[in-house]
Amino acid sequence: MAYIGKPPVNGFFAKQTITGDGSTTSFALTVSVADPSSLIVSVGGVLQEPGAAYSLSGGGSSIVFSQAPSSTDTTYVQFLGTEITQNN
């Protein structure tokens, strides 16, 4: 299938699958992000709202859900961007 639009700068959008247990709300991210809206988060096929359903902690290295994902729900995070650290 052809892609219409500007291609991603780094050639891909990273994806992470999270395995919930019904009680854990904080998970380490494989890619640090600067803003919750830099993620598309799906829990059980339902898109989650940034700032309401989840937030970031640890300088963008962890995602914290307001309600713990259950073990029966497929939870994934699609990264739309990454945090860039610039040393001057």
Side-chain angles (χ1 to χ4, degrees):
M1 177 190 279
Y3 177 80
I4 298 174
K6 185 178 178 182
V9 174
N10 60 2
F12 66 95
F13 290 118
K15 178 180 172 186
Q16 177 180 349
T17 302
I18 293 175
T19 303
D21 61 7
S23 62
T24 304
T25 58
S26 182
F27 299 90
L29 293 173
T30 55
V31 177
S32 291
V33 294
D35 188 83
S37 62
S38 297
L39 305 172
I40 296 176
V41 179
S42 171
V43 177
V46 178
L47 293 178
Q48 304 298 300
E49 184 179 355
Y54 65 92
S55 60
L56 299 176
S57 70
S61 63
S62 295
I63 186 169
V64 180
F65 290 95
S66 57
Q67 188 172 13
S70 74
S71 60
T72 58
D73 287 335
T74 301
T75 302
Y76 74 87
V77 177
Q78 189 81 40
F79 298 91
L80 300 177
T82 62
E83 180 179 50
I84 297 174
T85 303
Q86 220 173 24
N87 297 324
N88 293 328

